[in-house]
């Protein structure tokens, strides 16, 4: 049993209850048991948080004091690291994430650098750039410079699938660049965020109001961040549908939006690949129950090898170990909620109805009586126009699509409203790179190479998003540009 998490959220440097006094339940998706309560924030709480962030940006020296920002980011990283094992257990309990995943992208990988890499860039970041002298109107030479400045108050809205990874990769750059923020976590996974709030309040010199965190059971409380004139920008990770709503709401004040959205990425196996890898490549979609935006959910296989590949994939799916997320041998746990499970099962029914061949899984596992599990599910004979090949399912569901040659593979890969990530496997790295250049997507793993890192820009083409998280692009996005001139 995991210890009860922090029930209060953080506004203006203080841990507080909801102004309504209400709480909501944090539920374990593997056991369906209530873990404990968390404050159920209201729109008024969100407005108070925005006012605190505004005040901190406008009246403190946070936006200009580089040394303070560096110190605070390192303090926060040290404080989280001290509680890492408690946080790990909490993530497994509230996300339903297999503990195996926390040793990689769910916790250890981001914690090692998501706050510190941006802090380390503060000194070398090009805050000033000289343009040299010019006399454009014949009025005398002017000395000109470009200054980079923080944007102001950032509304940060995050989902539940990799909550702490996404929070750290947003807060690191937002704070390093001198902004203040209000964070709204997903209602399904609140405690990792409220833990962070407690650590910020109790263990760091981050001035009151610089980071505010408001949990709520009501998704729409997040709308305050998209409509308030006191918020200068929205940084959002979540579904494309919500991203569109946020962009629409933010347009009333012409507020810039930074959107990390959904994906339907390809796992592309070229005909010169080592086909003994098929099983491993196929079942990778079950990692964390397929609840990852960058999951390669469309498996593209040469038609000449298709039948053998489907057989190998089915064998691998039968061997996927899943169940209790605290068991370190499990690749997948439950889905995050009953709603999410119903959604995934709905897509499976749609796949069958549209004529795809269900090769493996397709239902809820008989051996698990509690928890929102879905069986590893494999579809063959899928046409790329089918719903299960076009829409993001966000569950352990793989669709296998045959292709004729590299041109056909590229055509299918690009025949998607999304363009977030993908994988290409080939016996010839140069050929893989040539194909990679033709696929309209934000990240690609070639022959299993992992691109991930705090220094690696991540984000989407097309409806997978606007802007990049991490890397230099991910720092730049949280800055404004001011050009100044003076008589030389
Ligand atoms: P979601 O879009 O339903 O919710 C995301 C967040 O937005 C939650 O905090 C939610 O409470 C909030 N929200 C919902 N409606 C809102 C509104 N009208 N105004 C303001 N805030 C609102 O997404 P989800 O179901 O929590 O997460 C799964 C989705 O996230 C998938 O589509 C996945 O691909 C995407 N995702 C993308 C990335 C990426 O980096 N591209 C990473 C992880 C997840």
């Amino acid at each position: 049993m995991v210890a009860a998490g922090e029930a209060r959220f953080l506004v203006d440097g203080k841990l507080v209850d909801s102004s309504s006094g209400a709480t909501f339940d944090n539920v374990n998706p593997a056991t369906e048991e209530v873990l404990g309560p968390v404050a159920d924030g209201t729109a008024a709480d969100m407005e108070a948080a925005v006012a605190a962030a505004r005040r901190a940006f406008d009246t403190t020296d946070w936006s200009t004091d580089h040394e303070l920002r560096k110190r605070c980011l390192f303090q926060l990283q040290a404080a989280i690291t001290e509680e890492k094992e408690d946080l790990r257990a909490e993530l497994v309990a509230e996300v339903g994430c297999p503990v195996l995943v926390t040793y990689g992208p769910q916790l250890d990988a981001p914690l090692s650098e998501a706050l510190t890499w941006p802090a380390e860039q503060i000194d070398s970041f090009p805050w000033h750039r000289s343009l040299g002298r010019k006399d454009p109107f014949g009025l005398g030479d002017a000395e000109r410079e470009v200054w980079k400045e923080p944007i102001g108050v950032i509304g940060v809205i995050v989902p539940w699938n990799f909550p702490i990874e996404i929070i750290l990769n947003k807060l690191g750059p937002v704070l390093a660049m001198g902004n203040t923020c209000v964070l709204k976590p997903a209602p399904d996974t609140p405690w990792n965020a409220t833990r962070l709030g407690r650590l910020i309040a109790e263990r760091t010199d981050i001035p009151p109001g610089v980071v505010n965190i408001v949990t709520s059971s009501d998704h729409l409380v997040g709308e305050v961040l998209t409509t308030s004139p006191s918020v200068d920008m929205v940084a959002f990770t979540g579904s494309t549908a919500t991203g569109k709503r946020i962009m629409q709401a933010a347009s009333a004040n012409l507020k810039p939006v930074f959107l990390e959205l959904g994906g339907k990425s390809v796992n592309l196996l070229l005909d010169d690949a080592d086909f003994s890898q098929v099983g491993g490549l196929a079942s990778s979609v079950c990692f964390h129950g397929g609840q990852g935006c960058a999951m390669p959910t469309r498996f593209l296989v040469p038609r000449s090898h298709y039948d053998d590949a489907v057989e190998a994939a089915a064998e691998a799916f039968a061997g996927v170990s899943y169940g209790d997320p605290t068991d370190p041998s499990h690749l997948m746990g439950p889905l995050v909620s009953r709603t999410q499970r119903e959604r995934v099962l709905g897509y499976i029914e749609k796949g069958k109805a549209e004529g795809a061949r269900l090769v493996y899984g397709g239902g809820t596992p008989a051996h698990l009586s509690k928890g929102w599990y879905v069986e590893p599910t494999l579809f063959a004979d899928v046409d790329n126009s089918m719903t299960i090949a076009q829409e993001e399912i966000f569950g352990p569901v793989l669709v296998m699509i045959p292709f004729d040659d590299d041109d056909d593979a590229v055509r299918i890969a690009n025949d998607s409203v999304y363009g977030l990530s993908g994988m290409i496997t080939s016996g010839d790295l140069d050929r893989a790179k040539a194909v990679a250049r033709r696929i309209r997507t934000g990240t690609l793993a070639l022959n299993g190479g992992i691109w991930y890192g705090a220094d690696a820009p991540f984000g989407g083409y097309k409806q997978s998003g606007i802007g990049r998280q991490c890397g230099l692009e991910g720092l730049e996005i949280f800055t404004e540009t001011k050009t100044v001139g003076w008589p030389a």
Side-chain angles (χ1 to χ4, degrees):
M1 189 67 188
V2 69
E6 174 58 60
R8 297 163 298 172
F9 51 66
L10 177 68
V11 175
D12 209 8
K14 295 184 200 66
L15 297 173
V16 295
D17 295 318
S18 166
S19 56
S20 72
T23 60
F24 66 99
D25 290 339
N26 190 8
V27 177
N28 181 327
T31 62
E32 301 178 33
E33 283 165 6
V34 174
L35 292 163
V38 66
D40 199 356
T42 62
D45 293 319
M46 195 59 94
E47 275 157 17
V50 169
R54 188 76 259 164
R55 206 162 43 240
F57 185 80
D58 292 342
T59 65
T60 74
D61 54 4
W62 177 257
S63 66
T64 51
D65 190 336
H66 291 188
E67 292 308 316
L68 172 65
R69 302 210 299 265
K70 276 190 279 182
R71 184 170 81 244
C72 288
L73 283 165
F74 277 98
Q75 284 172 336
L76 183 56
Q77 202 251 3
I80 305 170
T81 304
E82 263 181 50
E83 296 192 1
K84 185 163 90 168
E85 294 315 314
D86 292 337
L87 176 55
R88 188 188 311 284
E90 194 166 85
L91 286 166
V92 170
E94 68 179 349
V95 183
C97 162
V99 66
L100 175 79
V101 178
T102 68
Y103 293 101
Q106 188 67 274
L107 179 59
D108 288 10
L111 185 53
S112 69
E113 58 175 13
L115 298 175
T116 53
W117 186 84
E120 285 161 358
Q121 310 311 307
I122 293 176
D123 287 337
S124 59
F125 187 77
W127 297 102
H128 296 97
R129 184 169 94 238
S130 172
L131 296 174
R133 293 181 178 191
K134 204 169 232 177
D135 180 11
F137 304 143
L139 299 171
D141 267 358
E143 201 71 64
R144 299 159 312 137
E145 276 188 1
V146 177
W147 298 349
K148 289 289 184 184
E149 298 178 341
I151 289 181
V153 176
I154 314 290
V156 177
I157 303 174
V158 299
W160 43 261
N161 60 331
F162 284 94
I164 199 73
E165 192 269 353
I166 295 167
I167 290 174
L168 296 180
N169 276 315
K170 290 227 190 299
L171 289 198
V174 162
L175 299 179
M177 293 295 99
N179 303 281
T180 65
C181 66
V182 178
L183 166 68
K184 196 208 85 66
D188 312 86
T189 53
W191 279 355
N192 65 93
T194 52
R195 176 186 292 273
L196 202 68
R198 175 174 56 73
L199 293 175
I200 287 170
E202 294 177 353
R203 303 287 304 282
T204 75
D205 298 330
I206 293 178
V210 165
V211 180
N212 306 272
I213 300 172
V214 178
T215 49
S216 178
S217 64
D218 180 357
H219 295 294
L220 296 186
V221 161
E223 280 195 344
V224 172
L225 298 177
T226 63
T227 54
S228 168
S230 296
V231 175
D232 297 297
M233 178 189 192
V234 180
F236 170 76
T237 295
S239 64
T240 294
T242 306
K244 287 178 183 176
R245 272 201 292 281
I246 283 175
M247 195 168 178
Q248 202 166 18
S251 73
N253 296 316
L254 227 56
K255 206 188 295 300
V257 289
F258 165 32
L259 304 174
E260 297 279 358
L261 308 176
K264 193 75 190 175
S265 303
V266 291
N267 191 343
L268 169 53
L269 201 60
L270 297 180
D271 61 9
D272 61 356
D274 170 5
F275 280 79
S276 69
Q277 301 175 71
V278 163
L281 288 171
S283 58
S284 68
V285 82
C286 298
F287 188 72
H288 190 14
Q291 300 170 110
C293 53
M295 291 287 175
T297 50
R298 289 185 293 154
F299 198 12
L300 271 47
V301 179
R303 198 176 298 280
S304 52
H305 294 73
Y306 189 73
D307 292 342
D308 290 347
V310 170
E311 203 174 304
E315 207 173 296
F317 269 54
V320 169
S321 70
Y322 68 100
D324 177 3
T326 65
D327 180 334
S329 70
H330 287 159
L331 188 68
M332 65 178 239
L335 300 185
V336 77
S337 62
R338 187 187 302 276
T339 312
Q340 197 61 17
R341 184 176 67 178
E342 294 315 309
R343 198 171 159 265
V344 171
L345 292 173
Y347 272 115
I348 292 171
E349 289 312 308
K350 191 138 204 172
K352 290 193 277 188
E354 288 184 5
R357 175 162 58 97
L358 181 65
V359 178
Y360 192 86
T364 53
H367 69 287
L368 295 164
S369 57
K370 282 266 183 225
W372 297 307
Y373 292 92
V374 170
E375 290 176 303
T377 297
L378 180 66
F379 277 106
D381 302 344
V382 176
D383 185 276
N384 197 55
S385 63
M386 290 178 182
T387 306
I388 54 170
Q390 285 294 325
E391 296 188 10
E392 185 179 50
I393 298 175
F394 232 58
V397 181
L398 183 69
V399 302
M400 292 188 69
I401 303 173
F403 65 84
D404 296 321
D405 54 23
D406 289 8
D407 286 348
D408 195 33
V410 168
R411 179 192 63 75
I412 296 169
N414 287 334
D415 177 18
S416 172
V417 297
Y418 296 112
L420 189 59
S421 194
M423 294 169 69
I424 302 174
T425 306
S426 167
D428 175 355
L429 182 60
D430 287 336
R431 183 175 167 201
K433 285 184 184 173
V435 172
R437 289 196 181 87
R438 300 171 63 195
I439 297 185
R440 293 179 47 74
T441 189
T443 51
L444 273 170
L446 308 182
N447 288 348
I450 292 169
W451 42 261
Y452 182 89
D455 56 352
F458 171 64
Y461 285 36
K462 301 190 269 181
Q463 292 189 32
S464 287
I466 297 174
R468 291 293 179 275
Q469 182 165 286
C470 298
L472 294 176
E473 290 82 351
L475 298 176
E476 171 95 26
I477 201 159
F478 292 117
T479 62
E480 267 290 10
T481 302
K482 183 175 281 171
T483 308
V484 294
W486 60 89

